[in-house]
């Protein structure tokens, strides 16, 4: 059984239940299969709403979480990419509403959405240095810790 | 015809917050619109990772001045889900009451702004006067007019006394009567209609494709409302209707919001009359997780979503905030195509944009500098001390 | 030259420069602006400014730094506000004020006044166009476009009283209509058209398109500041008074003493009523788009003005004379 089959079976099982999909569903998806899964969710299960895309740094790898919603159900596709080659396929052509969220993840974590038509910065300034991604854990922490106020709170 | 580019913002009277839109015009008609956001980034998501959970609530309250309660509720719900906390019903009702007051306050504010954008300042003055009623109620309940600080992980911080309950019930009929009047004005005043009707149309399919949320989506016929689809707080027990409209234009967005005012008034009455007894909070543990949760919330402007990952310490590993304005901006960029320059302000305003919510990251590049120098906090602090140190005493 | 001549010259100068001329006009402009702002505020459930606010604003503006954009021509930038105020002040001397007498009158002064009142709009256009700002340019073009909308209905509207009275002199028209107040109700349509067109001329809601704050910042006046802006604002205030004085002369039977009530009081009363009406229009409407405004003028105001003209011509032909 391929990765795609395994993921799609999990999705089909969740959405095919008689009582409807569960409120939350987390599915691990290999980067190569992301588009196939989104396609299936969209066309077979009418999951057309990208609520947002979360990028995060778990210390070893970068994770990109696609939160797709239908009614009260949110299915989260978790794509893990290595730090040295952070790239995911873009899903903009499948769900146009994902365009800005992909750009946000690219700005803040440096995960390149291959195929996103807009190369411009979304939230960072144009002169923000290349290769510095503020939401990665190795970026200097923010003011609270540096100013020493956090410790005072105990 | 030759095309010209007109910048709207980052400083412009039509925008109450800094954001930049580049419009390409053919004559007076917009043929292309580009948004450049990020002017308000304050690093809130990163800052959350440095703070304990209870201090995150305090920080997230300040994402936005209007829907401050939305962000804190959304966040504490996520944390409570990870912890498996059972929040007392009275706390859930109080959260709902504050949420619906906030919605009325936000929608009245929007009606006024819409009036102002089309030069109808009398409408603006009227709605903002009546908004004071709601602000007073919020002050009565929480002690604050804007950042209510009512939420805590595990419940709410202040109980709703009989005086506040009475105050709400006394104000509701007045608000209802005023809402009826605004509905009449918004749907009958000929100059107001002339500026709203048929302007900035978003068809149903476009709203779905671009993942629009909130009143913008509902005005295009998308039947979606987190309060009904995934009831949180006390919404599962309160009867209400989801207001939709098929017009898709600026008028439809106004009509949807006025309709939601009525619903909110009804929900408030129900909440106050059915307020359960009991404690208002449970005490949470200091350390959370490990675990992750997604929390959704129907803010006045649409679906607000927070993702929280906990790693077992007293600080979150990751807090992700997606405010409704970010979800709606791509849609409204499409709506701008084909409208007149004169209709750009009202069309932009029709999503009730909140750029503070949209932008959350810090920008440390020196003003005017193109060299892309990044300052650390210590450098910034030193710079500040040096700058103010050279000034006379009155500056401090 | 004899002593009697000197007195005459001095009296003449007094009438042109002080009362009922320039100084009186400026005083009225400030008072009219105050009443307009106060009424507008009260319509909106606000307190509104104290009586001295327009004067205080004027003094404050005069004391402020006055900037000229690098792209603008300094001479033109200075000259335009002065010319606007001068044009309006000139028009005022032909209007019968207190007691129904104008400083000057000649057959045909109605047309002179109408054209003098057109000048400010053209000057606004030039001011916006030559201020070197895109907002000013857009505002200026809108001011000129708007002129094409309201000017024709306004001219048609002032034609009707002239036809009734059979004269092109404002003093003559005013006197004739004051003598036959039963004719006044016949001109209600003309009065409404003239008031709405004047609202457009003064660039007030719903016709404040050239200065639309949320669209073009301050339009024509975006780059103006300090004393030059003060002059422009004074010119607009004076234009309000002059326009309303003209309308009150043509449609409300002039300003002759009314029994024991002196003419000055009659004049101020009529002026105040008209200011209140215009403020109400301002408070009750949203701003139109430029093409909606021009369409409204040509589809509604022009036919209405023509109907008014037709009515008076027909009546005059059958039984008025």
């Amino acid at each position: 059984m391929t990765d795609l089959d395994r993921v799609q079976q999990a999705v089909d099982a969740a959405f095919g239940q008689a009582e409807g999909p569960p409120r939350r569903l987390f599915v691990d998806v290999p980067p190569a299969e992301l588009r196939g899964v989104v396609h299936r969710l969209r066309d077979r299960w009418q999951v057309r709403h990208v609520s947002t895309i979360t990028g995060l740094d778990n210390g070893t790898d970068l994770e990109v979480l696609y939160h797709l919603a239908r009614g009260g159900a949110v299915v989260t596709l978790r794509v893990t990419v290595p730090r040295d080659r952070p790239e995911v396929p873009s899903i903009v052509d499948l769900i146009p509403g994902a365009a800005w969220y992909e750009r946000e993840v690219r700005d803040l974590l440096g995960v390149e959405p291959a195929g996103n038509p807009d190369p411009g910065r979304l939230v960072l300034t144009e002169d923000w240095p290349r290769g510095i991604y503020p939401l990665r854990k190795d970026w200097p922490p923010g003011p609270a810790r540096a100013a020493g106020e956090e410790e005072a709170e105990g | 015809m030759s095309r010209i580019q007109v910048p709207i913002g980052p400083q412009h009277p039509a925008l109450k917050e800094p954001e930049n839109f580049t419009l390409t015009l053919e004559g007076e008609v917009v043929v292309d619109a580009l948004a450049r956001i990020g002017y308000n980034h304050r690093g809130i998501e990163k800052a959350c990772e440095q703070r304990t959970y209870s201090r995150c609530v305090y920080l997230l309250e300040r994402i936005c001045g209007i829907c401050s309660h939305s962000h804190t509720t959304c966040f504490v719900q996520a944390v409570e889900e990870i912890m498996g906390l059972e929040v007392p019903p009275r706390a859930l009702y109080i959260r709902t009451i504050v949420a619906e007051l906030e919605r009325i306050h936000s929608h009245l504010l929007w009606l006024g702004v819409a009036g102002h954008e089309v030069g109808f300042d009398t409408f603006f003055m009227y709605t903002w006067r009546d908004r004071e009623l709601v602000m007073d109620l919020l002050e009565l309940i929480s002690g604050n007019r804007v950042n209510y600080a009512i939420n805590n992980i595990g419940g709410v911080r202040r109980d709703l006394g009989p005086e506040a309950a009475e105050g709400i019930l006394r104000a509701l009929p007045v608000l209802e009567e005023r809402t009826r009047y605004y509905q009449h004005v918004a749907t009958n005043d000929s100059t107001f209609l002339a500026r709203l009707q048929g302007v900035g149309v978003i068809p149903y399919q476009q709203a779905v494709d671009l993942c629009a949320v909130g009143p913008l989506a509902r005005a295009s016929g998308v039947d979606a409302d987190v309060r009904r689809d995934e009831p949180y707080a006390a919404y599962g027990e309160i009867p209400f209707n989801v207001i939709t409209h098929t017009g898709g234009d600026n008028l439809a967005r106004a009509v949807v919001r006025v309709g939601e005012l009525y619903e909110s008034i009804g929900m408030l009455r129900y909440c106050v009359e059915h307020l359960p007894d009991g404690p208002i909070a449970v005490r949470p543990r200091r350390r959370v997780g490990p675990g992750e949760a997604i929390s959704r919330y129907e803010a006045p402007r649409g679906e607000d979503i927070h993702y929280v990952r906990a790693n077992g310490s007293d600080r979150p590993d990751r807090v992700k905030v997606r405010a409704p304005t970010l979800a709606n901006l791509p849609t409204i960029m499409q709506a701008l195509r084909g409208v007149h320059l004169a209709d750009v302000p009202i069309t932009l305003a029709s999503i009730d944009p909140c750029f503070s919510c949209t932008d959350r990251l810090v920008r440390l590049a020196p003003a005017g500098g193109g060299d892309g120098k990044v300052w650390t906090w210590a450098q910034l602090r030193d710079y500040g001390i040096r700058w103010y140190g050279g000034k006379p005493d009155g500056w401090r | 030259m004899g002593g009697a001549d000197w007195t005459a010259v001095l009296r003449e100068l007094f009438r042109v420069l002080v009362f009922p001329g320039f100084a009186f006009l400026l005083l009225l402009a400030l008072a009219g602006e105050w009443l307009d702002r106060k009424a507008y505020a009260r319509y909106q459930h606000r307190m509104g400014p104290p009586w001295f606010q327009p004067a205080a604003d004027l003094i404050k503006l005069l004391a402020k730094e006055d900037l000229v954009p690098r792209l603008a021509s300094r001479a033109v930038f200075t000259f335009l506000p002065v010319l606007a105020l001068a044009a309006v002040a000139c028009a005022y001397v032909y209007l019968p004020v207190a007691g129904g007498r104008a400083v000057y009158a000649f057959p045909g002064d109605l047309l002179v006044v109408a054209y003098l009142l057109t000048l400010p709009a053209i000057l606004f256009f030039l001011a916006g166009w030559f201020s070197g700002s895109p907002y000013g340019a857009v505002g200026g073009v809108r001011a000129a476009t708007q002129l094409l909308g309201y000017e024709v209905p306004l001219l048609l509207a002032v034609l009707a009283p002239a036809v009734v009275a059979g004269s092109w002199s404002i003093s003559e028209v005013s006197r004739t209509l004051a003598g036959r107040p039963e004719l006044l109700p016949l001109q209600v349509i003309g009065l409404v058209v003239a008031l709405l067109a004047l609202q457009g001329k003064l660039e007030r809601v719903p016709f404040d398109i050239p200065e639309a704050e949320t669209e073009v910042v301050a339009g024509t006046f975006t780059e103006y500041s300090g004393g030059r802006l003060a002059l422009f604002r004074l010119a607009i205030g004076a234009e309000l008074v002059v326009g309303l004085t003209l309308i009150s002369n043509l449609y409300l039977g002039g300003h002759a003493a009314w029994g024991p009530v002196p003419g000055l009081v009659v004049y101020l009363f009529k002026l105040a009523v008209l200011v209140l009406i215009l403020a109400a229009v301002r408070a009750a409407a949203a701003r139109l788009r430029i093409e909606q405004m021009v369409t409204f003028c040509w589809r509604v105001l022009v036919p209405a003005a023509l109907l008014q003209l037709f009515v008076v011509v027909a009546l005059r032909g059958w039984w008025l004379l």
Side-chain angles (χ1 to χ4, degrees):
Chain A
M1 194 161 73
T2 65
D3 284 338
L4 184 61
D5 291 337
R6 188 178 52 72
V7 174
Q8 290 196 340
Q9 271 179 14
V11 168
D12 289 351
F15 277 86
Q17 292 170 35
E19 67 269 30
R23 190 171 149 267
R24 298 285 183 262
L25 178 68
F26 288 84
V27 190
D28 284 301
V29 180
E33 312 303 347
L34 175 69
R35 289 177 52 83
V37 177
V38 171
H39 207 276
R40 178 134 178 140
L41 278 169
R42 189 191 73 171
D43 288 351
R44 171 129 189 223
W45 302 113
Q46 279 77 50
V47 184
R48 320 186 127 264
H49 182 77
V50 178
S51 273
T52 190
I53 301 175
T54 303
L56 66 87
D57 180 359
N58 64 17
T60 48
D61 295 315
L62 300 176
E63 290 176 24
V64 185
L65 310 178
Y66 294 77
H67 309 289
L68 291 96
R70 191 191 87 188
V74 180
V75 45
T76 301
L77 308 177
R78 188 195 313 272
V79 179
T80 308
V81 292
R83 278 184 113 79
D84 53 348
R85 213 180 61 80
E87 192 178 288
V88 291
S90 171
I91 58 164
V92 169
D93 52 332
L94 300 174
I95 302 180
W100 286 34
Y101 305 134
E102 288 184 348
R103 291 169 61 197
E104 190 185 10
V105 174
R106 174 172 61 199
D107 271 15
L108 301 181
L109 282 128
V111 179
E112 179 63 34
N116 187 307
D118 195 335
R121 287 262 164 86
L122 182 76
V123 288
L124 295 181
T125 53
E126 303 298 343
D127 58 0
W128 186 267
R130 303 205 161 272
I132 292 184
Y133 302 110
L135 279 185
R136 288 198 184 177
K137 292 291 182 194
D138 50 10
W139 196 72
R145 180 162 285 172
E149 56 191 68
E150 189 70 15
E151 279 69 35
E153 192 217 18
Chain B
M1 194 183 276
S2 69
R3 295 183 166 193
I4 51 163
Q5 287 203 327
V6 177
I8 302 274
Q11 305 299 334
H12 190 276
L15 305 171
K16 311 306 173 217
E17 296 171 84
E19 215 72 275
N20 171 260
F21 301 94
T22 304
L23 308 173
T24 307
L25 297 183
E26 263 185 23
E28 278 251 332
V29 178
V30 178
V31 291
D32 197 13
L34 284 175
R36 187 70 186 81
I37 66 171
Y39 291 88
N40 261 345
H41 267 228
R42 289 157 292 161
I44 286 179
E45 287 179 10
K46 186 80 177 177
C48 279
E49 297 172 12
Q50 324 296 325
R51 280 164 171 75
T52 56
Y53 284 94
S54 55
R55 291 197 61 187
C56 283
V57 178
Y58 178 86
L59 181 66
L60 292 170
E61 183 105 41
R62 280 147 185 84
I63 286 182
C64 174
I66 312 293
C67 40
S68 57
H69 183 73
S70 308
H71 287 291
T72 58
T73 312
C74 202
F75 176 72
V76 297
Q77 282 178 176
V79 178
E80 285 155 4
E81 189 180 323
I82 299 174
M83 291 176 127
L85 276 186
E86 196 69 42
V87 181
R90 189 174 176 87
L92 294 179
Y93 267 79
I94 293 173
R95 278 183 192 170
T96 311
I97 288 170
V98 175
E100 289 311 313
L101 283 172
E102 184 180 75
R103 193 179 317 276
I104 295 178
H105 143 54
S106 177
H107 281 358
L108 282 177
L109 179 135
W110 180 83
L111 277 175
V113 170
H116 178 65
E117 301 288 12
V118 297
F120 197 0
D121 281 351
T122 307
F123 199 52
F124 169 76
M125 296 293 174
Y126 272 46
T127 52
W128 280 47
R129 181 198 60 187
D130 296 333
R131 181 173 150 262
E132 286 301 312
L133 274 175
V134 187
M135 307 288 278
D136 289 346
L137 285 180
L138 284 165
E139 192 180 357
L140 192 64
I141 295 169
S142 69
N144 298 306
R145 278 162 59 87
V146 182
N147 292 331
Y148 322 113
I150 194 90
N151 274 320
N152 215 348
I153 296 165
V156 292
R157 295 177 57 241
R158 282 172 74 140
D159 200 2
L160 187 87
E163 188 198 349
E166 215 170 277
I168 295 174
L169 290 179
R170 231 192 347 260
L172 287 182
V174 184
L175 283 172
E176 201 160 19
E177 183 231 310
R178 300 305 299 167
T179 305
R180 200 166 296 129
Y181 174 69
Y182 297 137
Q183 188 172 35
H184 178 78
V185 172
T187 53
N188 285 291
D189 184 274
S190 53
T191 50
F192 199 54
L193 279 181
R195 292 301 304 276
L196 294 184
Q197 213 159 20
V199 174
V201 178
I202 292 287
Y204 171 83
Q205 197 55 44
Q206 201 167 33
V208 171
D209 285 346
L210 290 168
C211 303
V213 296
L216 173 69
R218 289 195 283 276
S220 294
V222 181
D223 187 16
D225 190 322
V226 181
R227 291 175 293 172
R228 182 204 56 200
D229 298 337
E230 191 195 325
Y232 55 91
Y235 287 108
E237 300 166 19
I238 306 168
F240 70 99
N241 300 313
V242 175
I243 308 290
T244 57
H245 197 285
T246 49
D249 55 358
N250 287 339
L251 179 65
R253 284 161 219 153
V255 170
V256 164
R257 286 195 176 88
V258 174
E260 290 186 3
L261 281 175
Y262 282 123
E263 294 299 324
S264 291
I265 291 167
M267 287 152 99
L268 278 171
R269 192 170 285 135
Y270 182 93
C271 280
V272 173
E273 283 167 359
H274 295 79
L275 190 63
D277 288 327
I280 56 163
V282 290
R283 201 175 161 73
R285 290 186 312 278
R286 203 176 143 73
R287 294 176 191 284
V288 183
E292 60 187 340
I294 297 157
S295 169
R296 292 161 86 206
Y297 178 101
E298 187 70 28
R301 292 159 176 77
E303 176 205 36
D304 182 23
I305 177 165
H306 284 212
Y307 168 85
V308 178
R309 176 176 289 185
N311 55 9
S313 74
D314 60 349
R315 289 154 208 232
D317 199 38
R318 175 83 168 95
V319 176
K320 161 79 187 174
V321 178
R322 200 275 285 132
T325 300
L326 184 65
N328 282 339
L329 270 176
T331 316
I332 219 64
M333 288 300 112
Q334 294 297 322
L336 284 179
R337 281 155 220 241
V339 306
H340 287 256
L341 177 61
D343 290 327
V344 169
I346 177 64
T347 307
L348 270 179
S350 75
I351 60 168
D352 201 357
C354 178
F355 300 128
S356 287
C357 291
T358 309
D359 302 351
R360 298 166 308 277
L361 200 106
V362 73
R363 178 193 165 186
L364 292 176
D371 58 350
K373 186 174 156 200
V374 178
W375 287 17
T376 66
W377 174 249
Q379 282 173 313
L380 193 66
R381 194 160 169 271
D382 285 348
Y383 174 78
I385 291 168
R386 250 184 296 122
W387 195 84
Y388 281 107
K391 302 284 174 199
D393 280 349
W395 275 85
R396 299 193 192 219
Chain C
M1 207 182 273
D5 289 328
W6 272 111
T7 331
V9 169
L10 280 179
R11 193 184 299 129
E12 196 78 336
L13 271 178
F14 180 82
R15 279 166 60 78
V16 171
L17 292 179
V18 184
F19 183 86
F22 192 59
F24 183 59
L25 173 65
L26 293 190
L27 200 66
L28 275 184
L30 294 178
E33 185 191 332
W34 172 76
L35 183 63
D36 176 52
R37 282 168 66 177
K38 184 79 179 174
Y40 185 55
R42 295 308 300 155
Y43 291 139
Q44 297 182 339
H45 293 245
R46 289 188 289 122
M47 291 303 294
W51 63 269
F52 54 82
Q53 191 65 48
D57 286 350
L58 187 71
I59 293 166
K60 186 194 78 174
L61 273 180
L62 286 172
K64 288 270 177 186
E65 188 183 9
D66 195 346
L67 295 166
V68 179
R70 203 174 299 141
L71 289 172
S73 148
R74 179 170 281 273
V76 173
F77 218 61
T78 311
F79 182 58
L80 290 174
V82 176
L83 198 60
L85 185 58
V88 175
C90 267
Y92 196 59
V93 296
Y94 294 106
L95 296 174
V97 185
R101 273 188 338 125
V103 180
Y104 295 115
F106 67 89
D109 54 17
L110 178 59
L111 290 177
V112 172
V113 167
Y115 282 105
L116 281 174
L117 285 182
T118 306
L119 263 182
I122 295 166
L123 296 172
F124 292 165
F125 162 70
L126 292 175
W129 192 255
F130 285 108
S131 65
S133 147
Y135 301 120
V138 173
V141 170
R142 287 179 170 190
T145 314
Q146 193 159 301
L147 180 72
L148 302 177
Y150 61 72
E151 202 57 26
V152 171
L154 186 62
L155 284 177
L156 285 175
V158 300
L159 211 56
V163 168
V164 172
S167 164
W168 286 107
S169 161
I170 300 169
S171 304
E172 189 68 38
V173 174
S174 177
R175 212 169 14 254
T176 310
L177 289 173
R180 299 185 64 183
E182 74 277 7
L183 293 180
L184 294 178
L186 291 176
Q187 302 190 55
V188 173
I189 307 174
L191 173 64
V192 172
V193 171
L195 280 175
L196 284 175
L198 185 66
Q199 192 84 342
K201 205 186 233 327
L202 295 167
E203 299 184 354
R204 292 151 59 96
V205 180
F207 308 127
D208 63 331
I209 305 158
E211 310 170 25
E213 181 201 325
T214 50
E215 299 160 26
V216 288
V217 188
T220 310
F221 308 119
T222 307
E223 298 298 336
Y224 274 84
S225 56
R228 295 180 178 88
L229 180 61
L231 277 180
F232 258 136
R233 290 193 41 171
L234 205 55
I236 293 173
E239 200 185 357
L240 172 72
V241 172
V242 173
L244 290 180
T245 308
L246 175 67
I247 287 178
S248 142
N249 270 311
L250 296 182
Y251 295 99
L252 299 182
H255 313 117
W258 200 57
V261 184
L264 182 62
V265 175
V266 172
Y267 171 57
L268 292 180
F269 174 75
K270 289 183 175 174
L271 211 54
V273 169
L274 289 176
V275 168
L276 291 181
I277 293 175
L278 283 196
V281 173
R282 185 151 85 100
R287 180 193 314 123
L288 293 174
R289 270 199 307 274
I290 185 77
E291 93 277 6
Q292 286 172 335
M293 186 272 176
V294 175
T295 310
F296 170 76
C297 285
W298 283 96
R299 292 240 176 99
V300 180
L301 291 190
V302 169
L306 285 174
L307 175 69
Q308 173 70 74
L309 204 56
F310 175 76
V311 167
V312 295
V313 169
L315 289 181
R316 192 179 159 85
W318 289 331
W319 55 265
L320 267 179
L321 270 184

